[in-house]
Amino acid sequence: MTMGSNAGGRRRPPTIHDVAREAGVSRGTVSRVLNGGHYVSPAAQEAVNDAIRRTGYVVNRHARSLITGRSDSVGFLLTEPQERFFEDPNFNVLLSGCTKALASHDIPLLLMLAGTKDERRRITRYITAGHVDGVLLVSSHSGDPVAEELREAGVPLVACGKPIGLGSKVGYVAADDRDGARDMVRHLLAVGRRRIGMITGPLDTPGGVERLAGYQEVLTEAGVEIDEALVVSGDYSRASGAAGAERLLAQAPDLDAVFVASDLMAQGVLTVLERAGKRVPDDIAVGGFDDSPVATEVSPALTTIRQPWDRISNEMVRVLLAQIGGEDPAAVILPTELVVRDSA
Amino acid sequence: MTMGSNAGGRRRPPTIHDVAREAGVSRGTVSRVLNGGHYVSPAAQEAVNDAIRRTGYVVNRHARSLITGRSDSVGFLLTEPQERFFEDPNFNVLLSGCTKALASHDIPLLLMLAGTKDERRRITRYITAGHVDGVLLVSSHSGDPVAEELREAGVPLVACGKPIGLGSKVGYVAADDRDGARDMVRHLLAVGRRRIGMITGPLDTPGGVERLAGYQEVLTEAGVEIDEALVVSGDYSRASGAAGAERLLAQAPDLDAVFVASDLMAQGVLTVLERAGKRVPDDIAVGGFDDSPVATEVSPALTTIRQPWDRISNEMVRVLLAQIGGEDPAAVILPTELVVRDSA
DNA sequence: TTCTCTACTGTGAACGCTCACAGAGCATGG
DNA sequence: CCATGCTCTGTGAGCGTTCACAGTAGAGAA
């Protein structure tokens, strides 16, 4: 234990050379041990590992990157209007999931927020210069200029949710929105509801469109007439959920259930219903989407569709690393799960 | 415009050598232009800048870091139980504020989440190996082993909120919790309340302690007797706010105001009060703390204490960069602001 | 003139690593 | 016996930058 507790001025850290000398082998052998250990004798292997432990050696990533051309880091890029995502608890789950999945590969995550035009320019420049090996993208909007530019530059890219307007050269991971919506509406039918309204997500995003499609499909299958007045659109935010509920109550007083495309909106809906004197689920059943933390914090607890955020983040990382490794971009659709609680 | 739109396989990017040749100067001169431009003639300056623009040159940070020993990147380290922070909208504001403040210095932020023991080990290793120049720390708990180890290794460190148990070698930036609490309680007194309860934050954190101290100070000054039954403790979460409100109502039915140490808890309080048939603010005034997004989403909108999160993140970055530059760790206390809305 | 000082420029030498290559040792097969 | 192949090891070069140093030119002072 000659290392450590050297408070203040840091001393020069051991290099691969020091390890080689300590282990009685050459730099090349140490390097081979560090990178998988192929073509290394067991004896050398052990000697090197011992030496690494004794010296407290940690690879200098800059030197490695300089020669390999890889940075061994990836960017997490958010080009959405940030308020929307930062308000959304799912975003944090996604971000932390990706961070941890990457950490297990010893790859740091660089957070990149593209708000202003200046930031967009800077970030594009940073990424295309090769300072990260690939990018995890959160941007459901169509025609995202940053994403488009990165795609053209050939940067490995994996989006969360199916991206609009980007070609086939980007991978993506998404929950099966349509199937989730189907499950929820089937459940509402199963508990005896017939006048089922819906508050959709933004309809310029695939997620928003798919959830609406699932809703319509099941009703059609069940022979329930689709009433235009029962569908209003929102943007996933609490406020838009409240607004949607008010419109819905006005347009269709005989509503007996509502499928809300996000839990956050559902929270707004519950507030409005309570104020309007409607009991949930007795008078009106409410189904959410996401299974975000708020689902269990509201009263009654939300029946909702769980998006497998942990799996989504893991898959995003897996697909991105594969893509960095030279594989073709993959599209992954993950199953959702109906979570029945008190609201429906 | 010979660059760009080279879809697929990236070509070798221009180096400082290419720029030098293009500008008709030496590598050294280009390097000097890149690093502040001292001791460079205006003519050379211009020639180099032109050449940079023509070639689309971007510095190779790995090569630079290899020789300077700096990484020109900083870590954002979260050692708290993550749920607590990820649930808190302020955390996102802090994170995005730091990211942007750093971006304006062209310094990437590496997100580091220390949950499991394995992650803690990995992160400590990563940081002490010098892969980041400094660390922005979110960890109000006392006796944080990761932070302690980093401090001992001499890593520049700036905490958000006054850290407990860390020596004077770490900088920190905090809001003036005590003063904020004083302002709120004075306001409650000013609107005629006398039986003022409090739901505190965690009392093993300076923030929690300070807010309680401010509450007690003002009541004492005002000659109001401090009643033990009027103070219950929470942990900043919605659920603990609700629980606190229930205890408070049981212990002190004549309560006419309550100062809640976070907006999130206040949200829980409002729910309980509504259910108990208490009108806010008529029967009971509610004061929050943070001015987080929920403050305006609940009804009635919360009167609260605004923490200057944008300034906090900017200051954290400023202090950290100064510390990396060799200055001594600084402690910065920023003023809070009373925001009067409907709940008190 | 000559000497000094300042402003500017170019030139190796690093930084710590990986990679290609050469070569050693050993077994196998003809 | 050499030829061939395999496993393993060491060596030199080079990744793209900064830094220390040497050196040039011109201005000003002695």
Side-chain angles (χ1 to χ4, degrees):
Chain A
M1 274 310 233
T2 55
M3 288 287 306
S5 51
N6 142 42
R10 320 196 204 173
R11 85 175 57 163
R12 200 179 66 78
T15 74
I16 207 174
H17 205 117
D18 299 325
V19 175
R21 188 159 21 80
E22 182 82 14
V25 299
S26 72
R27 290 168 8 248
T29 301
V30 177
S31 178
R32 276 185 287 265
V33 170
L34 253 36
N35 298 284
H38 295 302
Y39 286 86
V40 184
S41 69
Q45 180 90 249
E46 199 179 341
V48 169
N49 282 327
D50 273 7
I52 288 177
R53 216 170 300 123
R54 276 201 303 278
T55 54
Y57 170 79
V58 179
V59 68
N60 181 323
R61 301 171 80 104
H62 303 304
R64 173 183 284 174
S65 293
L66 179 56
I67 193 160
T68 60
R70 284 175 284 121
S71 70
D72 291 320
S73 67
V74 320
F76 186 99
L77 173 58
L78 181 61
T79 66
E80 286 286 331
Q82 287 163 38
E83 307 72 36
R84 175 161 141 197
F85 263 90
F86 270 5
E87 185 192 355
D88 189 341
N90 295 314
F91 172 77
N92 286 327
V93 177
L94 185 70
L95 178 56
S96 86
C98 288
T99 305
K100 296 189 161 198
L102 286 168
S104 72
H105 292 271
D106 246 312
I107 297 180
L109 176 148
L110 278 61
L111 185 58
M112 303 174 160
L113 304 177
T116 68
K117 198 179 177 87
D118 185 59
E119 285 163 354
R120 272 198 291 278
R121 216 171 32 77
R122 209 194 291 270
I123 288 173
T124 308
R125 201 180 161 76
Y126 189 92
I127 297 174
T128 53
H131 293 327
V132 292
D133 296 337
V135 172
L136 298 166
L137 181 65
V138 178
S139 148
S140 46
H141 269 340
S142 53
D144 186 325
V146 178
E148 180 57 29
E149 198 162 344
L150 296 181
R151 191 188 61 73
E152 274 185 10
V155 177
L157 217 56
V158 172
C160 169
K162 179 168 183 175
I164 314 187
L166 292 177
S168 63
K169 298 302 285 178
V170 316
Y172 70 91
V173 178
D176 195 333
D177 290 291
R178 185 181 297 220
D179 199 57
R182 279 194 292 243
D183 282 348
M184 175 58 78
V185 179
R186 281 201 199 100
H187 172 73
L188 293 174
L189 287 170
V191 296
R193 309 301 162 128
R194 284 301 172 271
R195 291 289 285 170
I196 303 174
M198 172 163 188
I199 301 176
T200 74
L203 295 178
D204 58 344
T205 68
V209 172
E210 290 286 301
R211 292 174 202 181
L212 175 58
Y215 161 84
Q216 291 168 329
E217 261 180 48
V218 170
L219 290 188
T220 306
E221 271 173 33
V224 176
E225 186 205 4
I226 295 191
D227 184 347
E228 288 288 326
L230 288 183
V231 176
V232 301
S233 69
D235 64 6
Y236 291 140
S237 74
R238 239 181 298 245
S240 85
E246 272 162 10
R247 294 237 315 280
L248 228 40
L249 284 178
Q251 291 172 15
D254 59 337
L255 205 70
D256 63 6
V258 55
F259 167 39
V260 189
S262 85
D263 287 353
L264 223 49
M265 288 200 294
Q267 189 180 16
V269 170
L270 289 181
T271 314
V272 168
L273 292 183
E274 180 158 9
R275 207 167 298 156
K278 300 280 191 181
R279 287 167 310 160
V280 175
D282 307 15
D283 301 331
I284 297 186
V286 175
F289 206 104
D290 286 343
D291 195 24
S292 73
V294 298
T296 55
E297 281 164 2
V298 297
S299 156
L302 277 177
T303 290
T304 188
I305 298 295
R306 171 196 292 272
Q307 296 213 58
W309 288 108
D310 44 347
R311 288 189 60 196
I312 290 178
S313 44
N314 280 330
E315 284 297 297
M316 284 179 72
V317 168
R318 195 182 60 74
V319 170
L320 181 63
L321 294 184
Q323 211 167 318
I324 290 172
E327 293 182 27
D328 280 339
V332 178
I333 309 284
L334 296 173
T336 60
E337 187 191 349
L338 174 68
V339 180
V340 179
R341 297 205 180 86
D342 306 326
S343 71
Chain B
M1 271 312 232
T2 55
M3 288 287 306
S5 53
N6 144 41
R10 319 196 204 172
R11 87 176 54 162
R12 200 179 67 77
T15 74
I16 206 173
H17 206 118
D18 300 325
V19 175
R21 188 158 22 79
E22 182 82 14
V25 299
S26 72
R27 291 167 8 247
T29 300
V30 177
S31 179
R32 275 185 287 265
V33 170
L34 254 35
N35 298 284
H38 295 301
Y39 286 88
V40 183
S41 70
Q45 180 91 248
E46 199 180 340
V48 169
N49 282 328
D50 273 6
I52 288 177
R53 218 169 300 123
R54 276 201 302 279
T55 54
Y57 171 78
V58 180
V59 70
N60 182 323
R61 300 171 81 104
H62 303 304
R64 173 183 284 174
S65 292
L66 178 56
I67 194 160
T68 60
R70 284 176 285 121
S71 70
D72 291 319
S73 68
V74 321
F76 186 99
L77 174 58
L78 181 61
T79 66
E80 286 285 331
Q82 287 164 36
E83 306 72 36
R84 175 161 140 198
F85 263 90
F86 270 3
E87 186 189 354
D88 189 340
N90 295 313
F91 172 77
N92 286 327
V93 177
L94 185 69
L95 178 56
S96 85
C98 288
T99 304
K100 296 190 161 196
L102 285 168
S104 72
H105 293 270
D106 246 311
I107 297 180
L109 175 148
L110 278 62
L111 185 58
M112 304 173 159
L113 304 177
T116 67
K117 199 180 178 85
D118 185 58
E119 285 163 356
R120 271 199 291 279
R121 216 172 31 80
R122 209 193 291 271
I123 288 172
T124 309
R125 202 179 162 74
Y126 189 92
I127 297 174
T128 52
H131 294 326
V132 292
D133 295 338
V135 173
L136 298 166
L137 182 65
V138 178
S139 147
S140 47
H141 269 340
S142 53
D144 186 325
V146 178
E148 180 57 29
E149 199 163 342
L150 296 181
R151 191 189 60 75
E152 274 185 11
V155 178
L157 218 54
V158 172
C160 169
K162 180 169 184 174
I164 313 188
L166 293 177
S168 62
K169 298 303 284 178
V170 315
Y172 70 90
V173 178
D176 195 334
D177 291 292
R178 185 181 297 218
D179 200 56
R182 279 194 292 243
D183 281 348
M184 176 58 79
V185 179
R186 281 201 199 99
H187 173 74
L188 294 173
L189 287 170
V191 296
R193 310 299 163 130
R194 284 304 172 270
R195 290 288 285 170
I196 302 174
M198 172 163 187
I199 303 177
T200 74
L203 294 178
D204 58 344
T205 68
V209 172
E210 290 287 299
R211 293 174 201 182
L212 174 58
Y215 161 84
Q216 291 168 329
E217 261 182 47
V218 170
L219 290 188
T220 306
E221 271 173 33
V224 177
E225 185 204 8
I226 294 191
D227 184 346
E228 288 286 326
L230 288 183
V231 176
V232 302
S233 68
D235 64 6
Y236 291 139
S237 74
R238 237 181 297 245
S240 86
E246 273 162 10
R247 295 234 318 277
L248 227 40
L249 284 178
Q251 292 172 14
D254 60 335
L255 202 71
D256 64 6
V258 54
F259 166 40
V260 188
S262 84
D263 287 352
L264 222 51
M265 288 200 294
Q267 188 180 16
V269 170
L270 290 181
T271 313
V272 169
L273 291 183
E274 180 158 9
R275 207 166 299 156
K278 300 281 191 182
R279 286 169 311 161
V280 176
D282 306 17
D283 301 333
I284 297 186
V286 175
F289 206 103
D290 286 343
D291 195 25
S292 73
V294 298
T296 54
E297 281 164 3
V298 297
S299 155
L302 277 176
T303 290
T304 188
I305 298 294
R306 170 196 294 269
Q307 297 213 58
W309 289 109
D310 45 347
R311 288 189 60 194
I312 290 178
S313 45
N314 281 330
E315 284 297 298
M316 283 180 72
V317 167
R318 194 183 60 74
V319 169
L320 181 62
L321 294 184
Q323 211 167 317
I324 290 171
E327 292 183 26
D328 281 339
V332 177
I333 308 282
L334 296 172
T336 59
E337 186 191 348
L338 174 68
V339 180
V340 179
R341 297 205 181 87
D342 306 328
S343 70

